[in-house]
């Protein structure tokens, strides 16, 4: 397996890889899914280092980038790839910059609590998030065929307007971006987020049949599908107690938490 100074490559199965950035406090995962005709890269990381250096070692297939959402830590190496897909709800952020986040705040977040040596090319004082036109726009229900592998797009707003989850129907892998992960709270407390949408999106993914594993974009790599049962319980609790609004704080459940 690939040894790298910044990225950690973990093989999920013979044609699925997680490319992780454990040297940064956000512990971001991007995912490379290989088909027999082309490959999909779900997100491109922080942009502290160039993820294409890794994907070039893992496949010779053309790579299409699917963006779970347009936040800095998921679009870092977008500029290295020709084909970029994003949900129409986040297109404006990709083209014109992320709403409500100053470049000063972005640079502060990108450069703190780093525990691995960064490449010489990384300078937090001049760091610029990717901006550019997507190749195409995604909508809820889109299907992406990789030849021997079928990916289904679920529009799951809340953390961002155009946040999506990707369901690898062939293997049962559900890639949840920043909608569901463990250890740290799932965020919906910024002005650009929407607590009601987030809870509705959690309900939506909890009803997807035949999920074998859940892969969030942060922290623990791979959560057992039984977490989706806990999600259903959480959704019911949050709605019944009228907690789906800004300012209600952190709500802890079995295996995950949310912050409004």
């Amino acid at each position: 397996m690939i040894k790298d100074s910044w990225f950690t490559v973990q093989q999920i199965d013979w044609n699925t890889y997680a490319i992780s950035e454990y040297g940064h406090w956000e512990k971001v995962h991007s995912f490379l899914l290989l088909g027999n005709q082309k490959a999909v890269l779900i997100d491109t990381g922080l942009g502290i280092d160039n993820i294409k250096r890794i994907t070039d070692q893992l496949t010779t297939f053309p790579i299409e980038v699917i963006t779970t959402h347009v936040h800095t830590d998921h679009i870092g190496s977008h500029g290295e790839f020709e084909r970029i897909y994003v949900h129409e709800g986040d297109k404006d952020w990709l083209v014109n910059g992320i709403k409500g986040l100053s470049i000063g705040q972005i640079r502060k977040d990108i450069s703190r609590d780093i525990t691995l040596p960064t490449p010489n090319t990384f300078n937090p004082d001049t760091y610029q998030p990717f901006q550019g036109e997507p190749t195409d726009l995604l909508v809820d229900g889109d299907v992406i065929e990789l030849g021997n592998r079928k990916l289904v797009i679920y529009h799951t707003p809340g953390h961002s307007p155009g946040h999506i989850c990707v369901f690898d129907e062939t293997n049962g892998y559900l890639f949840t971006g920043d909608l569901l992960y463990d250890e740290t709270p799932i965020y919906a407390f910024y002005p650009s987020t929407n607590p009601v949408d987030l809870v509705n999106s959690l309900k939506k993914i909890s009803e997807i049949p035949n999920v074998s594993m859940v892969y969030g974009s942060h922290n623990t790599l791979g959560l057992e599908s039984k977490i989706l049962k806990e999600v259903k319980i959480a959704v019911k609790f949050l709605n019944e107690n009228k907690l789906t609004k800004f300012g209600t704080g952190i709500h802890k459940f079995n295996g995950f938490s949310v912050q409004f």
Side-chain angles (χ1 to χ4, degrees), residues 2 9 21 45 54 61 65 80 83 86 91 102 105 114-115 131 175 185 192 195 209-210 212 234 241 243:
I2 295 166
V9 180
E21 298 177 70
I54 303 298
F61 281 135
V65 170
E80 300 295 327
R83 301 192 67 81
V86 69
K91 180 194 173 183
S102 69
Q105 186 62 50
I114 292 176
T115 56
Q131 283 180 235
F175 298 92
S192 59
N210 305 315
S212 62
N241 291 280
L243 295 168

Side-chain angles (χ1 to χ4, degrees), residues 41-247:
L41 180 60
I42 299 175
D43 294 338
T44 63
L46 289 151
I48 287 174
D49 206 346
N50 183 358
I51 205 169
K52 191 170 185 290
R53 181 179 72 245
I54 303 298
T55 59
D56 281 350
Q57 295 175 69
L58 294 171
T59 185
T60 56
F61 281 135
I63 293 174
E64 297 178 356
V65 170
I66 295 178
T67 314
T68 60
H69 62 297
V70 178
H71 283 166
T72 309
D73 50 322
H74 299 266
I75 61 169
S77 289
H78 269 38
E80 300 295 327
F81 298 91
E82 288 182 17
R83 301 192 67 81
I84 297 168
Y85 296 86
V86 69
H87 188 274
E88 53 195 340
D90 275 11
K91 180 194 173 183
D92 180 64
W93 292 5
L94 195 71
V95 175
N96 298 310
I98 299 161
K99 185 180 170 187
L101 264 185
S102 69
I103 189 65
Q105 186 62 50
I106 287 170
R107 288 172 178 168
K108 187 178 171 186
D109 287 342
I110 205 81
S111 59
R112 72 176 174 90
D113 301 333
I114 292 176
T115 56
L116 284 176
T118 56
N120 295 332
T121 50
F122 173 64
N123 181 348
D125 298 327
T126 56
Y127 176 90
Q128 286 285 347
F130 172 83
Q131 283 180 235
E133 286 282 345
T135 314
D136 210 342
L137 298 178
L138 298 167
V139 297
D140 187 65
D142 274 351
V143 173
I144 295 169
E145 296 278 1
L146 301 185
N148 59 339
R149 198 169 189 178
K150 181 180 175 183
L151 309 180
V152 182
I153 303 299
Y154 286 82
H155 180 214
T156 52
H159 184 70
S160 78
H163 189 288
I164 60 159
C165 293
V166 182
F167 184 45
D168 175 0
E169 201 173 79
T170 308
N171 295 292
Y173 303 153
L174 178 60
F175 298 92
T176 54
D178 280 9
L179 176 62
L180 181 62
Y181 49 75
D182 69 353
E183 293 182 6
T184 53
I186 297 148
Y187 291 162
F189 59 81
Y190 294 126
S192 59
T193 64
N194 187 311
V196 172
D197 284 351
L198 186 99
V199 171
N200 288 338
S201 292
L202 284 169
K203 183 174 188 289
K204 185 174 186 173
I205 65 164
S206 76
E207 294 169 348
I208 298 172
N210 305 315
V211 174
S212 62
M213 285 292 287
V214 173
Y215 289 97
S217 290
H218 297 276
N219 304 329
T220 301
L221 177 64
L223 303 171
E224 292 183 20
S225 59
K226 64 184 180 185
I227 197 170
L228 296 176
K229 291 179 181 173
E230 302 299 333
V231 167
K232 282 187 178 177
I233 294 166
V235 165
K236 188 168 184 283
F237 177 85
L238 289 166
N239 283 331
E240 285 179 353
N241 291 280
K242 298 182 169 54
L243 295 168
T244 56
K245 56 190 175 189
F246 289 132

